[in-house]
Amino acid sequence: MNSLIAVGSIAYDTLETPFGRRDRALGGSAVHFALAANLFTDVGVVGVVGDDFDGEPVLAERGIDTSGIQVVAGGATFAWEGRYGFDLNVAETLDTRLGVFEQFDPQLSAEQAKAPVLFLGNIVPDLQRSVRKQSQAGFVALDSMNLWIEIAKDSLIGAIGEVDCVILNDGEARQLTGESTLAKAARAISAHGPRIVVIKRGEYGAALFVDGAFFGVPGYPLEEVFDPTGAGDSFAGGFVGYLAATGQTEPDIAHLKRAVAYGSIVASFNVEEFGTERVQRLTRDEVETRVGEFHAMTSFDLG
Ligand code: AMP
């Protein structure tokens, strides 16, 4: 049995940043998440692709369980096209071709339903709720995006009310709650039910709100960033993957702080190359070395 199940999009991404372009790169929320989480624990992916999809060996080679990927004969894999300007924190969606994703109706097997940790990646909030209902996981985390806040806000709030942890970026947290400060936005999200709220702040880092406490880290200072696509999902993969490996379903604050550091560091590798290219060959040793540097950069004594 996998210790972590991730449901989300599996995609071909066409990406344009000021530093280059890639056509039909392997992507999607579940893919970025699983490649990151796999550095910490065994993870299974639940998603849908068309028979044009050839990315499965990339996942299987890393030891990711792909048995939950449904292949629809004659269908096209979800394709997303996005562009970034010099502010790499803002993605502009140029095109979305749903393909087989339009009919996606995720079903967990009896085995997948028993996995202790579940990640609900970026998909229609009603589907996140359906998967949540099927699962017996003791710890459930959810990610979303601006699109669902715009067109399915009530359903998203319903989904948020059924999970333990919400991971959003700062713009999404503000848009969802109408609050301008992160502290108020996090409190408003927690009021729907989740004990843990993580707010990603792109190159500026991440903030954790739990049990009335706050913890924050800056972004790891990179000299070069090529493509931010998947930074959010690889953060979530590092964060949730680290927690799943601890075996705690009610993680304490010490583990949550470390999980924020691991999420931030995996995301920092992700953005150094296009799409999933860097995380595909990332090793746990490289992560540990950079986490060590991050620790030295972010702690000080009071003299
Ligand atoms: P992020 O980690 O926030 O940069 O998410 C990037 C991933 O989101 C890309 O690999 C896209 O394939 C995926 N994506 C973009 N739009 C959607 C959507 N409407 N539903 C699901 N996934 C999406």
Side-chain angles (χ1 to χ4, degrees), residues 11 38 49 52 54 65 90 104 160 201 211 238 254 256 277 281:
N38 175 248
V49 295
D52 58 343
D54 63 3
D65 181 356
V90 185
F104 186 36
I160 286 172
R201 305 175 55 236
D211 302 334
L256 288 166
E277 288 166 8
R281 51 168 220 282

Side-chain angles (χ1 to χ4, degrees), residues 19-261:
F19 313 105
R21 182 185 161 91
R22 288 289 184 284
D23 284 297
R24 286 177 70 81
L26 177 64
S29 56
V31 168
H32 280 286
F33 177 92
L35 286 167
N38 175 248
L39 290 155
F40 302 91
T41 195
D42 57 307
V43 51
V45 173
V46 173
V48 67
V49 295
D51 50 15
D52 58 343
F53 186 70
D54 63 3
E56 197 259 333
V58 173
L59 303 178
E61 255 166 47
R62 296 288 285 191
I64 295 166
D65 181 356
T66 57
S67 62
I69 300 179
Q70 185 198 337
V71 183
V72 178
T77 300
F78 173 62
W80 178 71
E81 188 171 344
R83 176 167 64 196
Y84 305 81
F86 275 95
D87 181 355
L88 292 169
N89 293 314
V90 185
E92 185 191 346
T93 294
L94 299 178
D95 194 19
T96 301
R97 293 184 190 193
L98 292 174
V100 294
F101 202 42
E102 193 161 11
Q103 310 297 332
F104 186 36
D105 181 17
Q107 299 297 326
L108 301 185
S109 67
E111 185 90 346
Q112 288 163 342
K114 285 193 210 125
V117 178
L118 174 68
F119 177 68
L120 301 170
N122 179 21
I123 53 172
V124 182
D126 278 343
L127 294 183
Q128 292 180 315
R129 299 185 78 172
S130 152
V131 176
R132 171 67 196 101
K133 274 204 196 81
Q134 297 169 44
S135 166
Q136 295 144 36
F139 183 78
V140 184
L142 170 147
D143 187 10
S144 190
M145 73 182 291
N146 55 357
L147 175 68
W148 310 122
I149 301 171
E150 280 151 31
I151 68 172
K153 187 171 168 179
D154 289 346
S155 162
L156 177 59
I157 289 174
I160 286 172
E162 293 159 6
V163 302
D164 306 287
C165 173
V166 169
I167 305 170
L168 292 177
N169 70 35
D170 48 358
E172 292 159 356
R174 290 194 178 96
Q175 188 187 359
L176 179 69
T177 61
E179 297 289 358
S180 60
T181 66
L182 292 190
K184 275 195 173 168
R187 187 160 344 117
I189 294 167
S190 243
H192 295 298
R195 176 181 161 236
I196 301 159
V197 177
V198 180
I199 300 186
K200 300 165 289 180
R201 305 175 55 236
E203 67 175 301
Y204 306 112
L208 165 75
F209 297 84
V210 54
D211 302 334
F214 169 81
F215 175 68
V217 293
Y220 179 83
L222 291 170
E223 301 244 342
E224 300 207 88
V225 172
F226 280 96
D227 170 28
T229 308
D233 297 307
S234 54
F235 175 95
F239 179 84
V240 180
Y242 173 79
L243 290 177
T246 69
Q248 295 184 334
T249 48
E250 275 205 39
D252 57 44
I253 188 146
H255 284 93
L256 288 166
K257 287 180 178 180
R258 265 181 244 135
V260 169

